[in-house]
Amino acid sequence: MRRGGLTEAEFENMFFLFAVAGNETLRNGIPGGLLTLLEHPAEFDRLRADPVLLDSAIEEMLRFWPLVMHFRRTATRDLTLGGRRIRAGEKVVVYHASANRDPAVFPDPDRFDIARTPNDHVSFGFGPHFCLGAHLARAQLRSVFRELLSWDVELVGTPRRLVSNFQNGLKHLPVRLRRRTSNR
Ligand code: HEM
């Protein structure tokens, strides 16, 4: 059976993709972004002092902690990329994690800078399959981290990472939260 331009199976797959793509990513992105801030306390303080940096801070968290580490593509034509010959039909793995630290694109790429501009990270991919949920993801990250700015956050244990070469995930991030009395 068809619904609009999609077969029933394609339609069901699309909802499955929404559920997985929208869930796994943020489930890892929120603690990943928080851990990055905790590991860079001067930048966390800077964000608290100047919350107008929230949008660029979120882009930097996404660059620094890419949630989807790689995707595979199939070359549709012969080409040379970065000096390597790739033939039509060959599989190519695109490492977002690596592209996000490319020194030719990002000055001092290993520095976490919440005001980094421009910040052309590829954590949402690129091209025709650019993440459909990027705006929703950014809105969710904004609302969580805006709220977290009113809390003191303390790491009270060892973070436990997800064992995966695909998702950059955290299984466990033990933190203690205490409501801040003022915006110091
Ligand atoms: C921070 C959170 C997220 C990250 C880092 C992320 C990352 C990605 C990446 C890397 C791709 C592949 C892009 C490519 O192939 O070039 C993608 C595709 C996609 N994402 Fe997200 N995503 C996030 C959140 C979401 C949310 C909240 C939704 C929807 C509820 C969503 C829905 C999708 C869909 C449907 C695609 C497939 C688009 C297509 O193939 O045309 N994502 N995402």
Side-chain angles (χ1 to χ4, degrees):
M1 190 179 121
R2 296 191 83 86
R3 292 166 185 251
L6 301 179
T7 64
E8 183 86 8
E10 285 167 340
F11 189 74
E12 283 174 5
N13 263 338
M14 193 177 74
F15 274 87
F16 175 71
L17 181 62
F18 281 157
V20 175
N23 179 330
E24 279 298 317
T25 48
L26 283 153
R27 187 222 306 267
N28 292 321
I30 292 165
L34 181 58
L35 180 59
T36 307
L37 286 172
L38 290 168
E39 286 174 341
H40 299 84
E43 290 300 280
F44 206 168
D45 286 346
R46 184 180 175 201
L47 181 56
R48 285 206 174 94
D50 192 0
V52 99
L53 291 174
L54 184 60
D55 283 0
S56 61
I58 284 168
E59 295 309 309
E60 184 67 342
M61 288 181 225
L62 287 164
R63 182 186 76 87
F64 216 76
W65 187 280
L67 301 165
V68 180
M69 287 190 276
H70 62 77
F71 252 49
R72 201 194 69 187
R73 289 286 190 266
T74 306
T76 54
R77 58 182 172 83
D78 293 352
L79 78 157
T80 303
L81 188 64
R84 300 290 290 265
R85 190 86 188 120
I86 299 169
R87 302 205 179 282
E90 281 181 353
K91 315 284 186 210
V92 181
V93 177
V94 180
Y95 278 87
H96 307 125
S98 170
N100 279 359
R101 304 274 183 122
D102 183 349
V105 179
F106 302 99
D108 201 359
D110 295 330
R111 189 161 62 90
F112 178 68
D113 173 5
I114 61 163
R116 185 180 287 276
T117 316
N119 190 344
D120 293 324
H121 67 76
V122 291
S123 290
F124 290 117
F126 50 90
H129 292 284
F130 182 83
C131 175
L132 209 59
H135 292 302
L136 174 61
R138 285 180 166 126
Q140 290 184 70
L141 290 166
R142 259 198 305 277
S143 67
V144 170
F145 283 98
R146 188 180 298 116
E147 175 62 26
L148 276 173
L149 295 183
S150 329
W151 296 79
D152 279 319
V153 188
E154 188 192 349
L155 192 60
V156 291
T158 309
R160 192 152 47 84
R161 297 187 68 108
L162 175 75
V163 179
S164 165
N165 62 7
F166 177 59
Q167 294 259 353
N168 191 14
L170 276 172
K171 293 294 275 183
H172 199 57
L173 181 67
V175 289
R176 181 176 300 129
L177 297 176
R178 229 181 31 248
R179 167 90 54 196
R180 289 166 78 85
T181 45
S182 67
N183 255 350
R184 279 171 278 158

